Amino acid sequence: MARQTRQRILDASLAMFNAQGEPNVTTNHIADELEISPGNLYYHFRNKDDIIEHLFGRYEERIDTALGAPEGRLPGLEDIWLQLHQVFECIWDYRFLYRDLANILSRNRRLRIRFARILRRADEQTHTVMRGLSQGGVMRASADELDAAATNVLVIATFWLNYASARGDKDEQASIRAGIVQVMMLLAPFLRDAERVHLNTLTRAYID
């Protein structure tokens, strides 16, 4: 029963943080939503930051899985498309972290260290994928161009929701789809002609 209550608190907190923004939700709001006493909530979690840390643990496991690369072969364009879907779906499900990233990380050193580790792994993985696309003949680019493209992919994926919010986008799911297309189009100038046509077909079907 205690474990079930704990999971309900985490699930409700995630939904409320995503819908209302983490700074606008208090532990009392969460307790009211679940129709439990604040004392019952504090039995399971010390405070709101404790809840956020546990949600971050869920996110961390999910993004680690999404960042996995194909094993035993070089990546192709479809692999990148699928991986971006998984990464952006994770970002969507934990979008409160990205919307309020600077605020959350500034007040929690442990999360700042953990998020930096995720960025380092994402950076290494993105560079590995770019090199794999080049080795497989999917892309034609110099080492410096590959490094720059890999960094740009990571920057756009990390801060796309903030950009979309700042420009006034109301439909965040549409923004996520646009973010995936934006990242894929970073690769377009380096693709072989056949792969570029394939990419354009994919993007048109995705955003129409």
Side-chain angles (χ1 to χ4, degrees), residues 142-160:
S142 68
D144 287 344
E145 287 170 338
L146 289 174
D147 285 343
T151 298
N152 289 341
V153 164
L154 185 57
V155 170
I156 289 179
T158 303
F159 296 105
W160 181 258

Side-chain angles (χ1 to χ4, degrees), residues 65 105-106 112 144 181 188:
T65 300
L105 297 185
S106 68
R112 191 161 64 247
D144 287 344
V181 170

Side-chain angles (χ1 to χ4, degrees), residues 36-88:
I36 63 176
S37 69
N40 192 355
L41 186 147
Y42 289 130
Y43 172 78
H44 296 281
F45 299 98
R46 296 186 306 276
N47 49 40
K48 189 170 77 167
D49 279 349
D50 191 19
I51 293 173
I52 291 171
E53 283 201 40
H54 281 81
L55 289 176
F56 192 92
R58 286 182 173 185
Y59 155 79
E60 202 168 22
E61 289 181 11
R62 177 93 172 270
I63 201 71
D64 272 348
T65 300
L67 289 173
E71 294 185 5
R73 62 179 176 84
L74 293 173
L77 202 60
E78 296 283 354
D79 294 313
I80 310 307
W81 191 267
L82 175 61
Q83 187 172 57
L84 281 173
H85 268 277
Q86 293 172 339
V87 167
F88 271 91

Side-chain angles (χ1 to χ4, degrees), residues 99-139:
R99 271 199 311 243
D100 303 309
L101 186 62
N103 176 40
I104 291 170
L105 297 185
S106 68
R107 68 174 193 255
N108 191 318
R109 182 176 178 274
R110 288 189 299 275
L111 291 191
R112 191 161 64 247
I113 292 171
R114 288 165 69 182
F115 194 78
R117 183 197 69 81
I118 289 170
L119 285 180
R120 284 194 299 272
R121 186 182 173 209
D123 183 66
E124 292 168 1
Q125 181 61 26
T126 305
H127 279 77
T128 298
V129 167
M130 290 294 184
R131 287 192 292 270
L133 290 173
S134 179
Q135 291 167 12
V138 176
M139 294 176 62

Side-chain angles (χ1 to χ4, degrees), residues 11-42:
D11 291 343
S13 299
L14 178 60
M16 294 175 74
F17 290 162
N18 281 341
Q20 303 171 36
E22 177 272 325
N24 302 316
V25 179
T26 68
T27 50
N28 284 341
H29 292 145
I30 298 167
D32 288 345
E33 177 71 16
L34 292 169
E35 298 181 342
I36 63 176
S37 69
N40 192 355
L41 186 147
Y42 289 130

